Amino acid sequence: MTEQHKQQAIEAVKNICHVLHEKRYEDLPSCVDEMEWDDTEEIRECIQGTLEMNDFDVFDEYGVPCSFKPQYEYHHEIMFFEYKDGSGFAVDYELTSGGDLTYLTLQLEFLYENSGLKSVFRTIDPQ
């Protein structure tokens, strides 16, 4: 995985976080090349339910400082997992609201193709 590939993945995460922050779930497909979990109404219900159940208002934008201890920047919660077969890599990103962990993880996949890097929205999974 090159630094350029990492930056492309981070850009996709930023775009998704922005859409989630603005609660524009129907715009999620425009952030990636493919949606594995493509029912945006189901995504909205799941996410809104989790936010409300935990007294969170909205998800934070990418890069918002976290308020938990030890303090570290939100962007450090992005994790890259290279596939052993060299076909691409996965990305996990822990979502926050108001600087606190929501215990939901955005999961994306990036596949190497002749035309470039293909981004796939897999799921938003409870931890």
Side-chain angles (χ1 to χ4, degrees):
M1 171 182 5
T2 66
E3 188 59 34
Q4 180 181 2
H5 290 143
K6 279 187 176 182
Q7 291 307 313
Q8 285 179 267
I10 290 169
E11 193 61 33
V13 170
K14 285 180 182 180
N15 292 336
I16 291 169
C17 286
H18 181 69
V19 166
L20 293 175
H21 178 75
E22 294 192 345
K23 298 183 180 183
R24 294 185 292 118
Y25 306 111
E26 67 279 1
D27 292 341
L28 284 171
S30 68
C31 297
V32 292
D33 297 315
E34 182 180 312
M35 295 282 294
E36 194 170 281
W37 183 17
D38 61 358
D39 186 340
T40 56
E41 181 58 27
E42 184 181 358
I43 294 170
R44 185 196 64 74
E45 289 174 9
C46 173
I47 290 172
Q48 280 304 124
T50 300
L51 287 172
E52 291 166 10
M53 186 171 51
N54 292 293
D55 293 323
F56 293 126
D57 184 31
V58 297
F59 287 112
D60 293 331
E61 296 270 4
Y62 180 89
V64 169
C66 294
S67 60
F68 45 89
K69 305 286 186 232
Q71 188 166 2
Y72 50 93
E73 294 297 314
Y74 186 33
H75 65 273
H76 291 167
E77 287 308 293
I78 192 167
M79 294 159 278
F80 296 89
F81 306 95
E82 287 191 82
Y83 297 147
K84 290 181 182 181
D85 65 2
S87 63
F89 58 97
V91 172
D92 283 1
Y93 185 71
E94 294 179 18
L95 299 166
T96 64
S97 178
D100 293 321
L101 285 172
T102 61
Y103 301 103
L104 289 173
T105 302
L106 170 65
Q107 295 180 332
L108 304 175
E109 183 175 53
F110 295 87
L111 303 172
Y112 302 125
E113 295 189 341
N114 290 338
S115 59
L117 197 60
K118 177 181 177 181
S119 57
V120 181
F121 181 102
R122 297 199 63 215
T123 192
I124 294 177
D125 198 31
Q127 294 178 345

